[in-house]
Amino acid sequence: RSGNSMLPTFSDGERVLVVRFIYRFFKPRRGEIVVAKDPRDGKLLLKRVTGEANGKFNLSGDNDKASTDSREFGMISKSALFGKVIG
């Protein structure tokens, strides 16, 4: 991963383990850290699930000042979630 949007939880360059396809079977829960496709350009983002409404999810970075998240690109659908971070 790169960037500072998830500081202090994850640092720039830190590797994470992602369980893919989990959200085909389970619904993301508030507080989980996920990898999602950016709806603007398809790049992968590391974010925290902070809310849900009408089947769409609000994603936020832990570092509000350095995060591009749902405040900018809006809520995303479950299909845009690539996987759940477990380590």
Side-chain angles (χ1 to χ4, degrees):
R1 70 155 228 94
S2 65
N4 295 317
S5 72
M6 288 301 290
L7 284 173
T9 308
F10 294 104
S11 300
D12 185 33
E14 190 170 342
R15 291 178 181 244
V16 297
L17 183 59
V18 178
V19 177
R20 293 187 63 191
F21 310 116
I22 192 167
Y23 296 125
R24 289 187 182 178
F25 309 102
F26 300 98
K27 186 171 140 180
R29 293 188 215 171
R30 186 182 189 115
E32 289 181 341
I33 298 174
V34 300
V35 174
K37 291 182 184 174
D38 187 322
R40 300 166 303 173
D41 60 13
K43 291 183 181 179
L44 296 179
L45 303 169
L46 184 67
K47 302 295 175 193
R48 186 177 302 276
V49 177
T50 56
E52 177 194 6
N54 302 320
K56 293 203 170 197
F57 298 89
N58 191 58
L59 304 180
S60 298
D62 288 352
N63 181 359
D64 286 342
K65 293 180 182 173
S67 181
T68 300
D69 50 34
S70 288
R71 292 173 296 176
E72 237 177 89
F73 53 73
M75 297 179 91
I76 65 161
S77 65
K78 187 175 163 182
S79 63
L81 297 175
F82 184 77
K84 177 181 175 180
V85 174
I86 60 169

